Amino acid sequence: MRENLKQHDLVSGQAQTLSFATGHEGPWQTYLAQVDRVVPYLGPLARWAETLRRPKRALIVDVPIEMDDGSVRHFEGFRVQHNLSRGPGKGGVRYHPDVTLEEVMALSAWMTVKNAAVGLPYGGAKGGIRVDPAQLSRKELERMTRRYTSEIGIIIGPQQDIPAPDVNTNPQIMAWMMDTYSMNIGGTATGVVTGKPVQLGGSLGRVKATGRGVFVTGREAARRIGLKLEGARVAVQGFGNVGGVAAELFAAAGAKVVAVQDHTGGIYKADGLDVARLSAHVQARHGVAGYADAEVLQGEEFWGVDCEILIPAALEGQLTQARARGLKARMVLEGANGPTLPGADDVLNERGILVVPDVICNAGGVTVSYFEWVQDFSSFFWSEDEINARLDKILGGAFVAIWETADRLKVPLRTAAFVVACERVLEARAERGLYP
Ligand code: NAD
């Protein structure tokens, strides 16, 4: 099935067939299970629920580039627009060797839910290239980014679909994307991507926004379960843009970051790691491995660390049922997208461990991306204090609405977030009606 799909550029309405063809419990299956849980709460809107189970549009592109040694390599790229009922598509672009169409579909769907849960005027989209960017030179990375942007140029644009950074992509890559799109249309379209460098229409506060959102929602959740941040022990998986910033903000609020795990290994320090020192080490050595002032965590040890707050901020599918059973934390803050498998969600729920779901917890990035897009349109830029104040207000407000929904329906926060979001998406769908 997947081979057949690759022969076509545009694939619509094949989502379920495709996901079953993958034959494993991947992220799209996780997302579908989350939708199944919300449908009983949708009342008459459930009539439209099938919309949520199908990406609107999925584009697979071939990205050939000339390597520095003169050879030619082909990379596989994707851009999926899951739902555009509430506005243009919005979602990041990921560079990772494990990227698949199925993963990008799930990530795009979570963007639909996230944007609606927070009340941003966007649909959901996501992109990716199946590549290990660490193996490319800077020039090769630029050529690949530009060719990918050109290939997906037929469906992106400031009013169509606006990419942003995700795993292994950054402001420089957004600058190349913006420039390539602009060259192709013969103008300068800063609003085609967000997460750009500030001098190219980027927004102050964007780099730290996702980690900041994890902190803001975590602080709100902690207050509600009577957990003091001062002295609370925090374990973080992933020490990149999201995990690194979240760790920094929790440490600044008096919490102790006791464990960090990334793709190079895990480290532990009972009385708290020096986050600034660790950041410098990670910058220099591209990972936590080799950090001197900590014990090394072996294998699964990270998941059993004594802590109050666990922040998975790496990749999806990390919190399995087995890991959920052994978890010591009082709450899980989902910095990553889709880190908790549905079975693990049940275990955490039974054990009374609060999960602040990705669709609200890591929505700080897309919220400031929205601010960036608005600033680009108006060519009028805000101060960082203004941005942080608006971010806190929007995310704090969205958190309260979801908390109250969870309370009213007696459901976990994830289901509540999906109820709030899916109602908004399906109301828009119903009001727009079907064309023709
Ligand atoms: P990043 O590339 O800056 O960092 C990724 C981190 O994950 C690194 O520390 C890496 O070592 C670690 N990692 C990778 N594979 C791992 C593995 N197998 N085990 C343990 N750690 C591993 O990426 P990021 O932007 O921080 O994104 C992290 C997560 O947050 C992703 O799920 C992403 O979709 C999500 N997210 C990012 C943003 C954003 O604005 N960057 C917004 C919302 C959600």
Side-chain angles (χ1 to χ4, degrees), residues 215-235:
F215 174 73
V216 169
T217 53
R219 184 186 58 197
E220 290 300 308
R223 200 161 56 79
R224 285 173 169 77
I225 62 168
L227 172 65
K228 271 209 171 77
L229 289 189
E230 181 101 330
R233 293 165 300 176
V234 181

Side-chain angles (χ1 to χ4, degrees), residues 42-53:
L42 294 178
L45 287 172
R47 170 170 182 255
W48 296 95
E50 193 58 20
T51 300
L52 301 168
R53 299 193 177 99

Side-chain angles (χ1 to χ4, degrees), residues 94 96 107 114 126 165-168 206 210 237-243 261-263 313-316 318 335-337 362 365:
R94 174 176 294 195
H96 196 277
L107 291 166
K114 187 182 305 181
K126 201 87 179 190
D166 191 70
V167 174
N168 290 328
R206 172 62 184 91
T210 307
Q237 188 199 35
F239 203 73
N241 182 260
V242 180
Q261 189 199 52
D262 73 0
H263 72 288
L315 299 172
E316 56 270 6
Q318 294 296 302
N337 285 306
N362 69 31

Side-chain angles (χ1 to χ4, degrees), residues 398-417:
F399 181 87
V400 170
I402 290 164
W403 186 274
E404 286 172 354
T405 304
D407 222 25
R408 179 167 51 84
L409 300 177
K410 306 282 171 264
V411 294
L413 285 182
R414 190 188 315 282
T415 308

Side-chain angles (χ1 to χ4, degrees), residues 211 236-250 257 260 275 279 313:
V236 189
Q237 188 199 35
F239 203 73
N241 182 260
V242 180
V245 172
E248 177 193 317
L249 294 174
F250 274 102
V257 179
V260 174
V275 175
S279 293

Side-chain angles (χ1 to χ4, degrees), residues 4-240:
N4 288 342
L5 290 178
K6 278 185 195 167
Q7 291 165 14
H8 303 284
D9 260 359
L10 227 45
V11 183
S12 272
Q14 298 289 336
Q16 268 188 305
T17 327
L18 177 72
S19 66
F20 292 132
T22 60
H24 67 278
E25 285 290 311
W28 180 250
Q29 297 291 348
T30 299
Y31 165 74
L32 290 179
Q34 292 166 348
V35 170
D36 287 345
R37 286 174 187 207
V38 83
V39 171
Y41 299 97
L42 294 178
L45 287 172
R47 170 170 182 255
W48 296 95
E50 193 58 20
T51 300
L52 301 168
R53 299 193 177 99
R54 294 165 183 271
K56 175 181 176 62
R57 192 174 284 140
L59 181 62
I60 305 174
V61 294
D62 177 34
V63 184
I65 61 161
E66 188 172 329
M67 306 298 281
D68 292 347
D69 66 4
S71 64
V72 175
R73 272 188 72 186
H74 291 251
F75 299 94
E76 195 175 20
F78 309 93
R79 185 73 190 171
V80 177
Q81 295 170 348
H82 173 259
N83 189 286
L84 304 180
S85 294
R86 300 181 67 256
K90 186 92 194 77
V93 173
R94 174 176 294 195
Y95 290 175
H96 196 277
D98 297 336
V99 164
T100 60
L101 174 60
E102 188 222 356
E103 179 187 56
V104 179
M105 276 160 46
L107 291 166
S108 70
W110 284 319
M111 288 310 299
T112 300
V113 177
K114 187 182 305 181
N115 292 330
V118 180
L120 306 178
Y122 292 131
K126 201 87 179 190
I129 304 182
R130 197 171 168 81
V131 60
D132 179 359
Q135 305 298 318
L136 300 186
S137 71
R138 184 182 161 91
K139 277 287 161 204
E140 290 166 344
L141 191 64
E142 177 175 352
R143 285 196 285 274
M144 185 187 71
T145 300
R146 288 186 180 279
R147 181 60 188 253
Y148 168 72
T149 308
S150 242
E151 294 294 338
I152 65 166
I154 55 174
I155 60 169
I156 64 169
Q159 296 291 1
Q160 284 82 37
D161 179 0
I162 307 115
D166 191 70
V167 174
N168 290 328
T169 55
N170 57 29
Q172 174 61 73
I173 288 171
M174 294 307 114
W176 291 328
M177 290 188 76
M178 188 278 269
D179 183 68
T180 305
Y181 180 85
S182 296
M183 291 299 108
N184 285 344
I185 62 158
T188 292
T190 53
V192 67
V193 290
T194 57
K196 299 180 294 292
V198 170
Q199 56 276 21
L200 293 179
S203 178
L204 295 170
R206 172 62 184 91
V207 172
K208 293 197 168 184
T210 307
R212 193 180 164 81
V214 173
F215 174 73
V216 169
T217 53
R219 184 186 58 197
E220 290 300 308
R223 200 161 56 79
R224 285 173 169 77
I225 62 168
L227 172 65
K228 271 209 171 77
L229 289 189
E230 181 101 330
R233 293 165 300 176
V234 181
V236 189
Q237 188 199 35
F239 203 73

